[in-house]
């Protein structure tokens, strides 16, 4: 299983219970969660985006996410450009 690294984009393989996050939604890895006695599979904390807005911040097992080749910041727009555009 391929694991993602911090700030890499991932795509969800399934709906997340008790959350608006659905299969196919995309997010950015914020943290890697090592396995525990209660949760034997490693996980990720993800910030999920929809239409350019944060939809939710969730934690899921790594098997629920497919790493994508893109990383946060690969967008053609930088944060300052987005802020400037939203002022007008």
């Amino acid at each position: 299983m391929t694991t993602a690294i911090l700030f890499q984009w991932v795509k969800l393989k399934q709906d997340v219970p008790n959350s608006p996050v659905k299969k196919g939604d995309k997010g950015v890895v914020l943290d890697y969660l090592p396995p525990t006695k209660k949760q034997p599979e490693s996980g990720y904390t993800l910030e999920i985006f929809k239409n350019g807005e944060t939809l939710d911040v969730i934690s899921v097992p790594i098997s629920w996410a497919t790493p994508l080749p893109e990383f946060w910041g690969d967008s053609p727009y930088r944060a300052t450009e987005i802020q400037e555009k939203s002022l007008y």
Side-chain angles (χ1 to χ4, degrees), residues 25-26 48-55:
D25 286 346
K26 294 179 183 178
I48 305 297
F49 294 90
K50 194 148 219 169
N51 301 322
E53 299 284 330
T54 299
L55 178 64

Side-chain angles (χ1 to χ4, degrees), residues 15-22 48 55-58:
D15 294 352
V16 177
N18 304 314
S19 170
V21 178
K22 303 294 180 205
I48 305 297
L55 178 64
D56 204 354
V57 176
I58 58 168

Side-chain angles (χ1 to χ4, degrees), residues 7-27:
F7 305 113
Q8 186 171 0
W9 285 92
V10 297
K11 184 176 180 180
L12 272 292
K13 295 181 182 179
Q14 64 187 64
D15 294 352
V16 177
N18 304 314
S19 170
V21 178
K22 303 294 180 205
K23 178 180 179 179
D25 286 346
K26 294 179 183 178

